[in-house]
């Protein structure tokens, strides 16, 4: 059978989509190639969030098409995902070597379309139409190659976004919010737990909106079509959002030790979710809270639906419930009309919150978004200069917070060999910090208490000798250790 290589650009959702497509292709008899040079089919799963991401994928495809033309190799070339969705047919005109363009609601049809192309039933395929139910089609996971499957897994709980922030293309590329049922998600998580997965990250464009939109028949979006409605509940049952109900349901699953989620929206941090951090021990002390700007004027222009004051209140409520919580964020610099004063307010917010990690983006105009035609577009040099200043501050705060971890004992889930040095092992703290240590492959999947001896660049180093294991028998494997010690800075 032909072999396929999938290259993924962009966020965790795209990583998850690629994995599901790869698993579906394997199930249909395709094989997975280790590199594009050994593949009969090369698929680029694309990102549209910034122009840079689109250009990277376009350049890659141009280079691939030219290489294959030169070498005379017959390779099927395709685009999947967000850019495929937003550009559609246009990609075939731009890049004549491309055979396949599959949008975000048709990913599960990749095998079917490849069969059509390979059997000569069609010469080119473009499908970017909406498909009801497609939110439930991203559920397959790759089988473990060598009997040792991954310890962590992404689970897609919903698709789409209804927020319509003025800078963002996602509502165009992913469509409106559609949620899978809690029952379906729990079944997938149970299967993963049975395969040895210990940590689940629930994924969606705005996970805190999970289940809020009614299904096509007017029933709650988080109920399967054949489940009874209304759900019988005692009068005294506390009111919880569908997302918190989902967290509770995943929390029940035996074998799952940790739950994470991304991306939430600050608007979705209601009291029920904040309170869940104190009530559900498997929900790790980590929150990604995309703030985007520290200026109320810019937040309003972005149509974010919260103020700087409300954002700070959420951070302080979370820290009241879990003092050691790790907090990360997304920030955009250079939004149209951003003044030096607005930018200073963003820097001030960073100093006040002391984020553990910040994903910092230069504003990139996206087609058909309101911000793209707003007055006050900033020159490239100004955006670059503000980006550099923000990065310097963010890195200095993070360095301090990481350095303050030295000497503490933290619980890590050991994921496998370190990417940079495969002779060492790596794990993640509950607060989402990477820890590298001298372990052995048998530590994979274990929850270990480990003492931090050194802090590097967004990485901590632990010394296993200090916790007293050298034979693969950790002192406190599976210990119910809590988060890194409370107080500032967090772990
Ligand atoms: N769910 C998140 C939220 O709260 O809006 C958004 C996820 S988005 C795919 C990831 C990040 O990309 C955003 O939080 C934002 O910081 C950044 N981003 C989105 N559109 C952008 C644009 N036009 N220019 C620069 N950065 C952008």
């Amino acid at each position: 059978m032909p072999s396929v290589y999938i290259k993924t650009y962009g966020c965790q959702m795209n990583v998850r989509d690629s994995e599901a497509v790869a698993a579906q292709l394997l199930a249909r008899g395709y094989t997975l190639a280790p590199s594009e040079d050994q593949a009969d089919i090369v698929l680029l799963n694309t990102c549209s969030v910034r122009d840079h991401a689109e250009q990277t994928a376009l350049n890659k495809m141009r280079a691939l098409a030219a290489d294959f033309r030169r070498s005379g190799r017959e390779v099927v070339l395709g685009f999947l995902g967000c850019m495929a969705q937003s550009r559609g047919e246009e990609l075939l005109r731009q890049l004549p070597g491309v055979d396949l363009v599959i949008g975000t609601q048709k990913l599960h049809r990749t095998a079917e379309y490849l069969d059509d192309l390979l059997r000569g039933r069609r010469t080119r395929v473009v499908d970017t139409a909406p498909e009801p139910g497609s939110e439930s089609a991203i559920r397959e996971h790759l089988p473990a190659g060598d009997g040792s499957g991954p310890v962590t897994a992404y689970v897609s709980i919903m698709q789409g976004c209804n927020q319509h922030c003025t800078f963002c293309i996602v509502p165009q590329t992913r469509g409106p919010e559609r949620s899978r049922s809690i029952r379906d998600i729990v079944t997938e998580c149970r299967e993963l737990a049975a395969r040895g997965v210990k940590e689940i990250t629930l994924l969606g464009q705005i996970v805190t909106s999970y289940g809020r939109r009614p299904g096509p028949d007017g029933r709650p979006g988080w109920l399967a079509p054949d489940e009874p409605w209304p759900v019988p509940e005692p009068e005294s049952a506390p009111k919880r959002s569908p997302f918190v109900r989902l967290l509770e349901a995943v929390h029940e699953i035996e074998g799952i030790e940790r739950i994470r989620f991304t991306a939430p929206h600050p608007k979705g941090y209601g009291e029920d979710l904040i309170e869940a951090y104190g009530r559900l021990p498997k929900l790790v002390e980590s929150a990604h809270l995309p703030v985007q700007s520290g200026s109320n004027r810019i937040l309003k222009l972005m149509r974010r639906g919260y103020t700087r004051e409300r954002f700070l209140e959420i951070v302080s409520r979370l820290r009241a419930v879990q003092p050691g919580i790790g907090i990360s964020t997304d920030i955009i610099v250079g939004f149209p009309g951003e003044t030096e004063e607005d930018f200073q307010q963003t820097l001030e917010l960073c100093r006040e919150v002391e984020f553990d990690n910040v994903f910092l983006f230069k504003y990139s105009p996206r087609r058909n978004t309101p911000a793209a035609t707003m007055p006050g577009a900033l020159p490239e040099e100004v955006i670059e200069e503000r980006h550099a200043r923000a990065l310097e501050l963010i890195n200095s705060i993070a360095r301090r917070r990481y350095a303050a971890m030295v000497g503490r004992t933290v619980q890590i889930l050991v994921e496998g060999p370190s990417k940079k040095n495969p002779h060492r092992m790596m794990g993640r703290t509950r607060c989402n910090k990477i820890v590298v240590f001298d372990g052995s492959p048998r530590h994979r999947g274990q929850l270990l208490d480990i003492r931090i001896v050194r802090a590097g660049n967004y990485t901590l180093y632990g010394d296993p000798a200090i916790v007293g294991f050298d034979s693969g028998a950790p002192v406190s494997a599976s210990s119910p250790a809590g988060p890194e010690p409370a107080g500032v800075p967090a772990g």
Side-chain angles (χ1 to χ4, degrees):
M1 276 300 275
S3 64
V4 188
Y5 180 73
I6 307 179
K7 183 164 179 60
T8 309
Y9 298 89
C11 64
Q12 294 101 324
M13 295 286 286
N14 291 5
V15 171
R16 174 69 196 107
D17 291 347
S18 291
E19 188 203 7
V21 169
Q24 288 158 8
L25 289 170
L26 270 183
R28 292 278 284 254
Y30 289 82
T31 57
L32 299 180
S35 73
E36 60 211 32
D37 308 327
Q38 295 168 55
D40 304 304
I41 300 156
V42 178
L43 303 174
L44 303 188
N45 190 4
T46 56
C47 171
S48 258
V49 163
R50 274 156 289 120
D51 186 53
H52 180 72
E54 292 205 348
Q55 294 311 324
T56 309
L58 288 169
N59 289 339
K60 177 72 187 174
M61 189 59 96
R62 268 187 211 106
L64 284 173
D67 278 358
F68 294 142
R69 221 179 13 252
R70 257 195 309 273
S71 64
R73 272 180 66 205
E74 290 266 330
V75 177
V76 174
L77 293 175
F79 282 114
L80 311 177
C82 289
M83 185 177 68
Q85 182 70 39
S86 69
R87 297 195 177 213
E89 194 87 40
E90 168 194 330
L91 288 168
L92 294 189
R93 286 194 295 275
Q94 249 180 308
L95 291 146
V98 172
D99 310 283
L100 184 63
V101 177
I102 302 182
T104 52
Q105 300 197 34
K106 297 292 182 175
L107 294 167
H108 57 290
R109 304 215 172 270
T110 305
E112 184 184 317
Y113 291 147
L114 282 175
D115 285 355
D116 284 351
L117 290 170
L118 295 167
R119 288 170 208 276
R121 288 194 288 263
R122 297 166 79 170
T123 50
R124 286 173 133 194
V125 180
V126 178
D127 191 355
T128 56
E131 184 170 324
S134 56
E135 66 278 6
S136 300
I138 302 297
R139 70 171 323 286
E140 288 85 359
H141 293 259
L142 282 171
D146 56 356
S148 58
V151 168
T152 63
Y154 290 141
V155 171
S156 172
I157 63 169
M158 65 188 294
Q159 291 285 326
C161 179
N162 287 21
Q163 297 297 324
H164 297 280
C165 301
T166 55
F167 54 80
C168 192
I169 199 171
V170 168
Q172 292 172 53
T173 59
R174 291 279 179 173
E177 288 165 9
R178 290 107 54 213
S179 298
R180 295 170 66 189
S181 68
I182 291 184
R183 190 179 69 186
D184 193 20
I185 296 166
V186 165
T187 304
E188 181 177 336
C189 294
R190 279 215 187 96
E191 285 164 15
L192 288 167
R195 287 160 61 164
V197 167
K198 299 269 171 35
E199 179 182 294
I200 297 280
T201 302
L202 304 173
L203 289 182
Q205 274 78 34
I206 304 280
V207 286
T208 39
S209 297
Y210 170 79
R212 284 189 190 273
R213 316 284 152 195
D217 49 3
R219 289 153 46 87
W222 49 272
L223 267 185
D226 59 335
E227 285 182 282
W229 171 251
V231 179
E233 273 198 318
E235 278 283 295
S236 58
K239 284 255 172 292
R240 291 103 73 226
S241 62
F243 183 58
V244 171
R245 281 173 188 263
L246 173 66
L247 289 175
E248 288 169 355
V250 176
H251 196 269
E252 291 288 296
I253 300 171
E254 213 173 303
I256 298 299
E257 308 266 6
R258 289 177 167 193
I259 305 169
R260 299 184 189 276
F261 56 82
T262 200
H265 192 290
K267 277 198 309 192
Y269 273 81
E271 232 1 79
D272 63 333
L273 178 54
I274 292 173
E275 179 264 329
Y277 276 95
R279 181 167 57 88
L280 304 176
K282 293 181 183 177
L283 180 59
V284 293
E285 296 75 30
S286 173
H288 182 67
L289 283 170
V291 68
Q292 314 298 358
S293 170
S295 152
N296 280 338
R297 202 179 68 79
I298 298 295
L299 287 173
K300 199 160 179 194
L301 286 174
M302 288 177 162
R303 210 188 287 143
R304 287 294 288 174
Y306 54 84
T307 60
R308 168 197 182 93
E309 292 72 26
R310 172 64 190 140
F311 183 84
L312 290 171
E313 187 186 325
I314 296 166
V315 170
S316 117
R317 286 288 303 120
L318 282 167
R319 284 183 171 155
V321 173
Q322 283 295 354
I325 195 164
I327 297 185
S328 58
T329 197
D330 292 346
I331 288 176
I332 299 177
V333 293
F335 187 81
E338 183 191 70
T339 61
E340 177 63 24
E341 165 61 20
D342 294 316
F343 176 63
Q344 285 298 333
Q345 289 177 24
T346 300
L347 297 185
E348 196 41 50
L349 182 102
C350 291
R351 285 188 202 100
E352 196 167 338
V353 175
E354 297 220 312
F355 294 108
D356 296 84
N357 204 353
V358 177
F359 297 88
L360 186 66
F361 302 101
K362 297 174 203 157
Y363 171 70
S364 168
R366 309 313 295 128
R367 65 167 87 180
N368 302 326
T369 58
T373 50
M374 279 183 187
L378 295 184
E380 195 73 27
E381 319 81 78
V382 173
I383 300 182
E384 288 287 345
E385 191 271 337
R386 285 186 190 165
H387 184 270
R389 264 193 288 159
L391 199 60
E392 199 182 320
L393 173 70
I394 288 159
N395 286 344
S396 72
I397 293 170
R399 260 196 306 276
R400 259 202 325 273
R401 293 180 75 80
Y402 274 69
M405 296 296 298
V406 175
R408 294 182 179 190
T409 299
V410 293
Q411 184 205 67
I412 63 165
L413 173 63
V414 183
E415 293 181 15
S418 155
K419 281 205 184 89
K420 286 200 188 133
N421 178 355
H423 300 297
R424 309 188 83 190
M425 298 297 281
M426 69 74 68
R428 222 171 269 269
T429 69
R430 288 176 63 93
C431 299
N432 211 16
K433 291 185 167 58
I434 288 174
V435 180
V436 173
F437 68 104
D438 283 319
S440 92
R442 80 194 99 171
H443 294 128
R444 251 179 103 260
Q446 291 183 354
L447 290 167
L448 299 180
D449 286 350
I450 200 156
R451 199 168 136 84
I452 303 303
V453 293
R454 188 162 68 82
N457 200 10
Y458 292 96
T459 304
L460 299 169
Y461 296 88
D463 188 347
I466 294 175
V467 295
F469 68 89
D470 53 11
S471 61
V475 164
S476 55
S478 289
S479 81
E484 290 92 284
V488 176

